[in-house]
Amino acid sequence: MKHIERLVKPTCAKHETRVNPMKRPRRILLVCPQRIGDVLLATPLAHSLKLAWPDAQVDMLVFADTQGVIEGNADITTIIPVPRRASWREQLMQVRRLWRKYDIALSPIPTDRARLYCWAAARRRYGMRPTSEQGLTKQILPRLLLNQTLVFDDLDTHTVAMGLQLTALLGIPPSFTVIPPSVPATQAAEKSALSAVFAKATPYVVLHPYPKFAYKMWTHAAWVSLARWCAGQGLRVIFTGGPDADECAHVKGIAADPVASLSGDAVSDIVNLAGTLSLAQTAQLIRGATLYVGPDTAVTHIAAATGTPTIALFGPSNPVKWGPLPHDWKQFASPWRRVGSARQGNVHLVQGQAACVPCLLEGCGRQVKSTSDCLQHLPVATVITAAQAFLNEQAS
């Protein structure tokens, strides 16, 4: 815990002011223009803000293509979408729209763009700055744009814990609850692609094969073998995936193979929903599942947050920072070691085995289109053993 305490202690910029807990902010802006997973893992910070100041308006600024991951989040009053690729003119216009509309602005990500939006939005601003190893010049702008900063640890601190360390600057308690997206009450399940799934009483497993980047992928053959095994356990197999054409084609190819080798009722129990569900609908589907299996991707974090038994397949990525947070995890220490598979609560993290794991690089070819040997050689039997353990617990 000494390491965590050292990280939580704020290092402050010039003219810093600590928030007076007695003076409740009315409007708060949480700034997180980053990938979907980063946005989802910032929801514990939003939840902490709302628990501390329930009457405050908490808005969240994110990239437009990530806002689906916070759909239906009751802690967030307004989602402010911004384009991922914005010209300086567009960014300046956004700065003008935000100008001093908030009492507090904060960001858990260490980017200049996030800091700029915080600077524009409020007089009290909190966020991250680089480590001293990255050089003094990189620390100047964060100190100019923010009132108080914390050193951003990208190696030994879980992403959720890193963001929650900002609560120490605000003088409020942290909440470690990751909030998955939810379908609005007006969008009934019977009107969606989920209707056929929920209409049958047979238990089902959700398999999410596509992680966007090739270096995080398990093999086609392995997913097919896992699907066949699940069907043999009497489970319906539901494949999920996003709307991207490459992703839909990838999942379609995997889903078609077990169908070709099965017969009778088992054929109708292989369902491909890739490209048909929103992230909120995917979360709704996973909540009802007996088991979820997926790679190192945002949907796997969503699965863990729902409380559903989750198997996460990891290769090059650092589990200490990016491993899915178990549903009931409530401490700053990461649930995961850097090396080795492990089970914590509702999550079993299965790590590929090789002397270089985790290399923290983009696959063996060092670029996003390359594969990772540690995942290419991850045995199906290892994943089946983890799945069987979850099924045995539910049967007992």
Side-chain angles (χ1 to χ4, degrees), residues 200 236-238 259 262-271:
K200 295 183 69 173
R236 285 180 293 160
V237 179
I238 314 296
V259 170
L262 297 172
S263 60
D265 292 339
V267 173
S268 62
D269 283 340
I270 305 289
V271 180

Side-chain angles (χ1 to χ4, degrees), residues 22 35 62 69 125 151 185 223 238 273 312 363:
M22 300 301 293
R35 291 177 178 172
V62 299
V69 81
R125 308 174 297 274
V151 175
W223 283 110
I238 314 296
L273 295 181

Side-chain angles (χ1 to χ4, degrees), residues 10-257:
T11 304
C12 305
K14 191 177 180 180
H15 305 308
E16 68 195 24
T17 56
R18 183 174 295 278
V19 172
N20 183 350
M22 300 301 293
K23 186 176 181 180
R24 295 177 176 269
R26 294 176 299 173
R27 302 190 72 190
I28 303 170
L29 181 65
L30 178 55
V31 180
C32 194
Q34 199 71 305
R35 291 177 178 172
I36 291 177
D38 298 272
V39 176
L40 178 69
L41 297 185
T43 59
L45 181 54
H47 194 56
S48 301
L49 295 168
K50 198 63 177 177
L51 288 176
W53 298 302
D55 296 329
Q57 173 179 326
V58 179
D59 295 345
M60 195 164 181
L61 184 150
V62 299
F63 287 139
D65 58 1
T66 68
Q67 61 183 318
V69 81
I70 48 176
E71 180 182 1
N73 189 317
D75 297 322
I76 301 167
T77 306
T78 303
I79 299 173
I80 303 173
V82 298
R84 183 176 293 273
R85 294 176 178 82
S87 65
W88 276 107
R89 179 183 177 85
E90 290 172 320
Q91 291 192 52
L92 288 174
M93 290 177 63
Q94 185 63 56
V95 164
R96 184 177 180 181
R97 285 191 289 267
L98 292 172
W99 189 254
R100 298 297 188 259
K101 288 186 176 180
Y102 295 88
D103 301 309
I104 293 174
L106 67 164
S107 178
I109 62 172
T111 69
D112 288 338
R113 188 171 178 180
R115 299 178 192 116
L116 176 65
Y117 289 148
C118 286
W119 170 79
R123 294 186 181 279
R124 291 186 288 177
R125 308 174 297 274
Y126 308 85
M128 304 295 173
R129 77 167 195 276
T131 62
S132 57
E133 288 80 5
Q134 293 176 276
L136 180 61
T137 55
K138 289 191 176 181
Q139 299 185 51
I140 293 175
L141 189 58
R143 291 175 182 273
L144 291 174
L145 296 178
L146 302 173
N147 300 115
Q148 286 186 286
T149 62
L150 292 172
V151 175
F152 184 79
D153 177 19
D154 199 28
L155 189 63
D156 297 316
T157 306
H158 194 277
T159 301
V160 168
M162 191 71 251
L164 285 177
Q165 288 176 18
L166 291 171
T167 61
L169 301 183
L170 300 173
I172 63 175
S175 169
F176 292 84
T177 304
V178 178
I179 309 294
S182 59
V183 178
T186 53
Q187 297 179 16
E190 60 269 16
K191 296 180 181 179
S192 74
L194 299 177
S195 56
V197 176
F198 294 147
K200 295 183 69 173
T202 310
Y204 62 88
V205 58
V206 174
L207 303 184
H208 189 85
Y210 195 83
K212 184 176 181 179
F213 300 120
Y215 70 92
K216 296 181 178 183
M217 284 184 178
W218 203 22
T219 66
H220 178 110
W223 283 110
V224 171
S225 295
L226 178 62
R228 288 172 181 158
W229 179 84
C230 290
Q233 306 305 302
L235 296 169
R236 285 180 293 160
V237 179
I238 314 296
F239 286 95
T240 56
D244 180 80
D246 289 342
E247 184 165 356
C248 287
H250 184 86
V251 178
K252 182 179 179 180
I254 292 173
D257 276 7

